[in-house]
Amino acid sequence: MSVRVRIAPSPTGYLHVGTARTALFNYLFARHNDGTFILRSDDTDQARSTDEFKQDILDHMRWLGLEWDEGIEVGGPHGSYRQSDRYDRYREVAMQLVESGDAYFSFVTSEQLDDFKKKAREAGTSPAYDGSLEPARSEVPRAMLDNGGPVIRFKVPRPGTTRFTDMVRGEVEFDHAQVDDFVIMRSDNTPTYHLASTVDDVDYGITHVIRGEDILSSTPKHILLAKAMGAEPAEYAHLSLLMGPDGKKLSKRHGDTAMSAYRDAGHLPEALVNYLGLLGWSPGEDETVVDLATMIARFDGTGISKNPAIFDATKLEWMNGVYIREMDAAEFAETSRPWVEADLGRSLTDDERSTLEALMPLIQERTKLLSEVPDQARFLFEAPTEYDDKAWSKVMATDEGPVALDGAVEALNGVDDWSTEAIDAALRGMLEEHELSARKGFQPIRVALTGTTVSPPLFESIEVLGRDETLSRIAVARARLA
RNA sequence: GCCCCCAUCGUCCAGCGGCCUAGGACUCCGCCCUUUCAAGGCGGCAACGGGGAUUCGAAUUCCCCUGGGGGCACCA
């Protein structure tokens, strides 16, 4: 049977990095097995679901390259892939389960339930509701009135046990004494997650459910439900959760949990995919930088780590730098340009584009995040309007500052062939003439041109800037020095 | 409180009874390269949570403890 997996986010928030990782694992498993990757929207929580969240999830899934074969927007043989469009189906299943005796209308009040759980806790027994509080049939109408309507609960067989083999945890066993007679239909006649999710998994022919460990203990419910529907339960794989730097569940307080934040910070999707893929999974060898194709080739469902993984933003950044350096120069220039233009607040002219491209390889190797490009490239398009205070006092307002600037003007005026090599030779000649160290002699020029002591290599920058602009900026700085 | 899962450097992984004086990567610290900053090269710090048991031999198997995580909703 061909593999069918799904990612089923709830549009109640932006695409979370943890969800993205789960999606990636599903995607890898599908591709590895020539299976089908499905994206479905679990939007039964109408109150908290929004179109904006849904769109954010879709956008970032695509941005990461996690294209789905069936599901939202791309369609497939199972309708809209939105749970909110399938309420009739869930009701149908719920009624069938009531008829077959696998589920029942429940009239317990929340007060009764609270009391039940409280007593269980005091007694040290299982707090799982076992249906024992249901009123006698003759009392139902009144209770129903008090209650605002019944819910439908699944009747968990007791005593009993559900065992299954989890692809990452191995044999797992749950005593039904620990499993609630859980609600499958709310009193407002809408389905709960357990019902909707399981019905969809069954109807869509999902073969492997790869999801977060947070639902491991709900798995018996889903298996019981599937069996009651007469279906063969899927295989399950429960991934350990992503943690923040303090070992607690990754949350906004640790930094960014929304995928969009990483995109906005200038991460490359390839780097994110690589990093997320190796967070809790090993491709087999001591490898760290692994491309998608390799991951797909190796991802057979084994080698998935059982322990929680801490999300290390620093390592992600390092990896992003690796991917940036691996890009070819033209591609990097193209990818970076929007960042530069956003910073400038305007589009680049054709000439400026050439200028940018000329210096790009040098910028590329000192960039970890795309968002760092504007700081490095700005001097190409705008003369410094101010100078970094420390830079000015440290290298400019010194004995050597004026000497270096004056020397540079003279040396540069003598350059006929405006090339990096000629500029290099001329400025080094200037160094000798004035007996300046490279540091003393070159840093003032750098500050004059860029406003700071940190910038791309000097000679190339001068070449790209052009003679007029270079001399003009030096003159401005020199005047300020006088 | 009850149930479940987990446990190797600070972090992510490798290790599946002898190849382990425990390997790789990030971080950090040196050194080299160097006009700044990076990148790169070389080197270094750093771990099998504790206790039993099995075995000729355990990071690797079993048990207990401890620690961490998750769940216990008419949320997903």
Side-chain angles (χ1 to χ4, degrees), chain A residues 111-292:
Chain A
E111 293 73 38
Q112 287 177 294
L113 238 29
D114 289 346
D115 189 51
F116 177 90
K117 294 191 188 268
K118 194 177 145 212
K119 280 183 176 150
R121 179 174 287 231
E122 282 164 3
T125 57
S126 168
Y129 177 56
D130 58 1
S132 60
L133 265 35
E134 295 304 323
R137 194 174 272 201
S138 58
E139 297 170 29
V140 163
R142 228 205 76 152
M144 199 163 140
L145 238 54
D146 294 341
N147 225 1
V151 298
I152 298 179
R153 287 179 188 277
F154 187 84
K155 192 181 180 65
V156 175
R158 299 167 207 287
T161 304
T162 292
R163 276 178 254 269
F164 61 97
T165 304
D166 189 279
M167 285 166 67
V168 349
R169 320 249 149 215
E171 302 301 316
V172 183
E173 175 181 319
F174 288 90
D175 188 329
H176 290 180
Q178 300 301 141
V179 184
D180 266 303
D181 271 11
F182 56 101
V183 174
I184 59 176
M185 272 294 195
R186 303 185 188 110
S187 54
D188 67 357
N189 206 26
T190 61
T192 62
Y193 158 74
H194 296 117
L195 208 225
S197 177
T198 306
V199 170
D200 282 0
D201 287 345
V202 167
D203 286 354
Y204 297 176
I206 301 302
T207 59
H208 301 260
V209 173
I210 303 170
R211 49 158 50 157
E213 191 191 2
D214 52 338
I215 17 197
L216 179 61
S217 46
S218 291
T219 304
K221 297 175 182 173
H222 304 161
I223 290 175
L224 254 14
L225 221 30
K227 283 183 174 165
M229 286 177 69
E232 181 71 19
E235 298 278 321
Y236 289 92
H238 288 91
L239 273 23
S240 56
L241 268 20
L242 249 34
M243 299 294 161
D246 59 357
K248 303 283 183 210
K249 195 167 178 175
L250 187 63
S251 64
K252 284 180 187 124
R253 45 179 314 195
H254 299 305
D256 299 310
T257 54
M259 201 68 238
S260 56
Y262 293 90
R263 183 188 195 170
D264 294 345
H267 283 92
L268 259 24
E270 295 81 1
L272 250 335
V273 163
N274 188 155
Y275 180 71
L276 254 17
L278 267 63
L279 241 200
W281 174 65
S282 165
E285 284 151 56
D286 283 339
E287 291 178 285
T288 306
V289 179
V290 187
D291 63 26
L292 223 211

Side-chain angles (χ1 to χ4, degrees), chain A residues 2 10 32 35 38 41 62 66 71 98 118 129 134 146 168 174 199 219 241 265 269 326 336 367 411-412 452 473:
Chain A
S2 115
S10 291
H32 178 84
I38 298 164
S41 189
R62 291 193 169 111
L66 304 179
V98 169
K118 194 177 145 212
Y129 177 56
E134 295 304 323
D146 294 341
V168 349
F174 288 90
V199 170
T219 304
L241 268 20
E326 277 181 1
S336 303
T367 301
L412 258 14
T452 81
R473 290 188 190 184

Side-chain angles (χ1 to χ4, degrees), chain A residues 223 332 356 446:
Chain A
I223 290 175
F332 178 69
L356 184 64
R446 185 187 305 281

Side-chain angles (χ1 to χ4, degrees), chain A residues 1-23:
Chain A
M1 185 168 52
S2 115
V3 166
R4 290 173 63 79
V5 297
R6 48 57 165 196
I7 181 76
S10 291
T12 54
Y14 302 109
L15 180 63
H16 190 281
V17 291
T19 307
R21 184 180 68 139
T22 304

